[in-house]
Short mmCIF file of all heavy atoms in Angstrom, two decimals:
data_model
loop_
_atom_site.label_atom_id
_atom_site.label_comp_id
_atom_site.label_asym_id
_atom_site.label_seq_id
_atom_site.Cartn_x
_atom_site.Cartn_y
_atom_site.Cartn_z
N MET A 1 130.94 76.23 101.96
CA MET A 1 129.91 76.45 102.98
C MET A 1 128.54 76.38 102.32
O MET A 1 128.39 76.46 101.11
CB MET A 1 130.10 77.79 103.67
CG MET A 1 130.00 79.01 102.73
SD MET A 1 129.91 80.53 103.66
CE MET A 1 128.32 80.36 104.43
N ASN A 2 127.50 76.29 103.14
CA ASN A 2 126.15 76.13 102.62
C ASN A 2 125.53 77.47 102.27
O ASN A 2 125.71 78.46 102.97
CB ASN A 2 125.26 75.42 103.66
CG ASN A 2 125.72 74.00 103.93
OD1 ASN A 2 126.21 73.32 103.03
ND2 ASN A 2 125.59 73.56 105.18
N ALA A 3 124.78 77.45 101.16
CA ALA A 3 124.03 78.64 100.77
C ALA A 3 122.78 78.73 101.64
O ALA A 3 122.36 77.74 102.26
CB ALA A 3 123.64 78.54 99.30
N PRO A 4 122.17 79.93 101.75
CA PRO A 4 120.93 80.05 102.52
C PRO A 4 119.89 79.05 102.04
O PRO A 4 119.74 78.82 100.84
CB PRO A 4 120.51 81.50 102.25
CG PRO A 4 121.79 82.20 101.94
CD PRO A 4 122.63 81.20 101.20
N SER A 5 119.16 78.50 102.97
CA SER A 5 118.19 77.46 102.65
C SER A 5 116.91 78.04 102.08
O SER A 5 116.65 79.25 102.18
CB SER A 5 117.86 76.64 103.90
OG SER A 5 117.17 77.46 104.83
N VAL A 6 116.10 77.13 101.53
CA VAL A 6 114.80 77.54 101.01
C VAL A 6 113.95 78.13 102.11
O VAL A 6 113.24 79.13 101.91
CB VAL A 6 114.09 76.33 100.36
CG1 VAL A 6 112.68 76.71 99.92
CG2 VAL A 6 114.89 75.80 99.19
N ILE A 7 114.02 77.55 103.30
CA ILE A 7 113.21 78.03 104.42
C ILE A 7 113.61 79.46 104.78
O ILE A 7 112.76 80.31 105.06
CB ILE A 7 113.38 77.09 105.63
CG1 ILE A 7 112.78 75.72 105.31
CG2 ILE A 7 112.70 77.69 106.87
CD1 ILE A 7 112.95 74.71 106.42
N GLN A 8 114.92 79.73 104.76
CA GLN A 8 115.37 81.09 105.06
C GLN A 8 114.82 82.10 104.05
O GLN A 8 114.36 83.18 104.42
CB GLN A 8 116.90 81.14 105.07
CG GLN A 8 117.54 80.49 106.29
CD GLN A 8 119.04 80.51 106.19
OE1 GLN A 8 119.63 79.85 105.34
NE2 GLN A 8 119.67 81.26 107.07
N TYR A 9 114.89 81.72 102.77
CA TYR A 9 114.37 82.61 101.73
C TYR A 9 112.86 82.78 101.85
O TYR A 9 112.33 83.89 101.66
CB TYR A 9 114.73 82.07 100.34
CG TYR A 9 116.08 82.54 99.85
CD1 TYR A 9 117.16 81.67 99.78
CD2 TYR A 9 116.27 83.86 99.48
CE1 TYR A 9 118.40 82.10 99.34
CE2 TYR A 9 117.51 84.30 99.05
CZ TYR A 9 118.57 83.43 98.97
OH TYR A 9 119.80 83.87 98.54
N LEU A 10 112.16 81.71 102.17
CA LEU A 10 110.71 81.81 102.32
C LEU A 10 110.36 82.71 103.50
O LEU A 10 109.42 83.52 103.42
CB LEU A 10 110.10 80.42 102.51
CG LEU A 10 110.09 79.52 101.27
CD1 LEU A 10 109.54 78.14 101.61
CD2 LEU A 10 109.25 80.16 100.16
N LEU A 11 111.09 82.56 104.59
CA LEU A 11 110.83 83.40 105.75
C LEU A 11 111.11 84.87 105.44
O LEU A 11 110.33 85.76 105.81
CB LEU A 11 111.69 82.94 106.92
CG LEU A 11 111.49 83.67 108.27
CD1 LEU A 11 110.02 83.65 108.67
CD2 LEU A 11 112.37 83.07 109.35
N LEU A 12 112.23 85.10 104.73
CA LEU A 12 112.54 86.48 104.34
C LEU A 12 111.49 87.01 103.37
O LEU A 12 111.12 88.20 103.42
CB LEU A 12 113.92 86.54 103.70
CG LEU A 12 114.46 87.95 103.42
CD1 LEU A 12 114.60 88.74 104.70
CD2 LEU A 12 115.81 87.87 102.69
N ALA A 13 110.98 86.13 102.51
CA ALA A 13 109.93 86.55 101.57
C ALA A 13 108.66 86.95 102.31
O ALA A 13 107.98 87.89 101.91
CB ALA A 13 109.64 85.42 100.58
N VAL A 14 108.35 86.22 103.39
CA VAL A 14 107.18 86.57 104.20
C VAL A 14 107.37 87.96 104.82
O VAL A 14 106.47 88.80 104.82
CB VAL A 14 106.94 85.51 105.29
CG1 VAL A 14 105.88 85.99 106.29
CG2 VAL A 14 106.50 84.20 104.66
N LEU A 15 108.57 88.21 105.34
CA LEU A 15 108.86 89.51 105.95
C LEU A 15 108.82 90.62 104.90
O LEU A 15 108.34 91.73 105.17
CB LEU A 15 110.23 89.47 106.62
CG LEU A 15 110.35 88.53 107.83
CD1 LEU A 15 111.78 88.49 108.34
CD2 LEU A 15 109.42 88.97 108.95
N LEU A 16 109.35 90.31 103.70
CA LEU A 16 109.30 91.29 102.62
C LEU A 16 107.85 91.60 102.24
O LEU A 16 107.50 92.76 101.99
CB LEU A 16 110.07 90.78 101.42
CG LEU A 16 110.05 91.66 100.16
CD1 LEU A 16 110.63 93.05 100.46
CD2 LEU A 16 110.81 91.01 99.01
N SER A 17 107.03 90.57 102.19
CA SER A 17 105.61 90.77 101.87
C SER A 17 104.96 91.67 102.91
O SER A 17 104.15 92.55 102.58
CB SER A 17 104.89 89.42 101.80
OG SER A 17 105.44 88.61 100.78
N ALA A 18 105.31 91.47 104.18
CA ALA A 18 104.76 92.31 105.25
C ALA A 18 105.22 93.76 105.08
O ALA A 18 104.45 94.70 105.29
CB ALA A 18 105.20 91.77 106.60
N ALA A 19 106.49 93.93 104.66
CA ALA A 19 107.00 95.28 104.43
C ALA A 19 106.27 95.95 103.28
O ALA A 19 105.95 97.15 103.33
CB ALA A 19 108.50 95.23 104.16
N LEU A 20 106.00 95.20 102.23
CA LEU A 20 105.28 95.75 101.09
C LEU A 20 103.84 96.10 101.47
O LEU A 20 103.28 97.09 100.97
CB LEU A 20 105.30 94.75 99.93
CG LEU A 20 106.68 94.53 99.29
CD1 LEU A 20 106.61 93.40 98.27
CD2 LEU A 20 107.18 95.81 98.64
N VAL A 21 103.24 95.27 102.34
CA VAL A 21 101.90 95.60 102.83
C VAL A 21 101.94 96.90 103.63
O VAL A 21 101.07 97.77 103.49
CB VAL A 21 101.34 94.45 103.69
CG1 VAL A 21 100.07 94.89 104.42
CG2 VAL A 21 101.05 93.23 102.82
N ALA A 22 102.97 97.03 104.47
CA ALA A 22 103.12 98.27 105.24
C ALA A 22 103.29 99.47 104.31
O ALA A 22 102.73 100.55 104.56
CB ALA A 22 104.31 98.15 106.18
N LEU A 23 104.06 99.29 103.23
CA LEU A 23 104.24 100.35 102.25
C LEU A 23 102.90 100.71 101.61
O LEU A 23 102.56 101.90 101.48
CB LEU A 23 105.24 99.90 101.18
CG LEU A 23 105.44 100.83 99.98
CD1 LEU A 23 105.97 102.18 100.43
CD2 LEU A 23 106.39 100.19 98.97
N ALA A 24 102.14 99.70 101.23
CA ALA A 24 100.84 99.94 100.59
C ALA A 24 99.87 100.63 101.54
O ALA A 24 99.14 101.55 101.15
CB ALA A 24 100.25 98.62 100.10
N VAL A 25 99.87 100.19 102.80
CA VAL A 25 98.99 100.81 103.80
C VAL A 25 99.36 102.28 104.00
O VAL A 25 98.50 103.16 104.10
CB VAL A 25 99.06 100.04 105.13
CG1 VAL A 25 98.35 100.81 106.24
CG2 VAL A 25 98.43 98.65 104.97
N GLY A 26 100.67 102.55 104.06
CA GLY A 26 101.12 103.92 104.24
C GLY A 26 100.73 104.81 103.07
O GLY A 26 100.28 105.95 103.26
N LEU A 27 100.88 104.30 101.85
CA LEU A 27 100.49 105.08 100.68
C LEU A 27 98.98 105.25 100.61
O LEU A 27 98.48 106.30 100.16
CB LEU A 27 101.01 104.40 99.41
CG LEU A 27 102.54 104.37 99.26
CD1 LEU A 27 102.94 103.61 98.01
CD2 LEU A 27 103.12 105.78 99.24
N ARG A 28 98.25 104.23 101.06
CA ARG A 28 96.78 104.34 101.10
C ARG A 28 96.36 105.43 102.08
O ARG A 28 95.40 106.17 101.84
CB ARG A 28 96.18 103.00 101.49
CG ARG A 28 94.64 103.00 101.52
CD ARG A 28 94.12 101.59 101.77
NE ARG A 28 92.67 101.56 101.80
CZ ARG A 28 91.94 101.74 102.90
NH1 ARG A 28 92.55 101.95 104.07
NH2 ARG A 28 90.62 101.71 102.85
N ARG A 29 97.11 105.57 103.16
CA ARG A 29 96.81 106.63 104.12
C ARG A 29 96.99 108.00 103.47
O ARG A 29 96.19 108.92 103.72
CB ARG A 29 97.74 106.49 105.33
CG ARG A 29 97.42 107.46 106.45
CD ARG A 29 98.35 107.29 107.63
NE ARG A 29 99.73 107.59 107.28
CZ ARG A 29 100.70 107.79 108.19
NH1 ARG A 29 100.43 107.68 109.46
NH2 ARG A 29 101.93 108.06 107.80
N TYR A 30 98.02 108.14 102.63
CA TYR A 30 98.19 109.40 101.91
C TYR A 30 96.99 109.65 101.00
O TYR A 30 96.50 110.78 100.89
CB TYR A 30 99.48 109.37 101.09
CG TYR A 30 100.70 109.79 101.86
CD1 TYR A 30 101.67 108.86 102.22
CD2 TYR A 30 100.89 111.12 102.23
CE1 TYR A 30 102.81 109.24 102.93
CE2 TYR A 30 102.02 111.51 102.93
CZ TYR A 30 102.96 110.57 103.28
OH TYR A 30 104.09 110.96 103.99
N ARG A 31 96.54 108.61 100.33
CA ARG A 31 95.40 108.78 99.42
C ARG A 31 94.16 109.23 100.19
O ARG A 31 93.40 110.08 99.71
CB ARG A 31 95.11 107.47 98.68
CG ARG A 31 94.11 107.64 97.54
CD ARG A 31 93.75 106.32 96.89
NE ARG A 31 93.03 106.52 95.64
CZ ARG A 31 91.75 106.85 95.55
NH1 ARG A 31 91.02 107.03 96.64
NH2 ARG A 31 91.18 107.01 94.36
N GLN A 32 93.97 108.67 101.36
CA GLN A 32 92.81 109.06 102.18
C GLN A 32 92.92 110.52 102.62
O GLN A 32 91.91 111.24 102.66
CB GLN A 32 92.71 108.14 103.39
CG GLN A 32 92.31 106.71 103.04
CD GLN A 32 92.42 105.78 104.23
OE1 GLN A 32 93.19 106.01 105.17
NE2 GLN A 32 91.66 104.69 104.21
N ARG A 33 94.12 110.94 102.93
CA ARG A 33 94.31 112.34 103.31
C ARG A 33 94.04 113.26 102.13
O ARG A 33 93.36 114.29 102.26
CB ARG A 33 95.75 112.56 103.80
CG ARG A 33 96.08 111.92 105.13
CD ARG A 33 97.57 112.06 105.38
NE ARG A 33 97.96 111.61 106.71
CZ ARG A 33 99.23 111.54 107.13
NH1 ARG A 33 100.21 111.89 106.31
NH2 ARG A 33 99.51 111.13 108.34
N ILE A 34 94.59 112.89 100.97
CA ILE A 34 94.40 113.72 99.77
C ILE A 34 92.94 113.80 99.39
O ILE A 34 92.46 114.83 98.90
CB ILE A 34 95.25 113.14 98.62
CG1 ILE A 34 96.74 113.31 98.95
CG2 ILE A 34 94.93 113.83 97.29
CD1 ILE A 34 97.67 112.51 98.06
#
């Protein structure tokens, strides 16, 4: 069977990048509170 395509990995990478941005924004909110 076929392995996941480059496009699938790129799309997942975009979503992962968004998740990391959300993580950074959340931690930045803690810094602002502190």
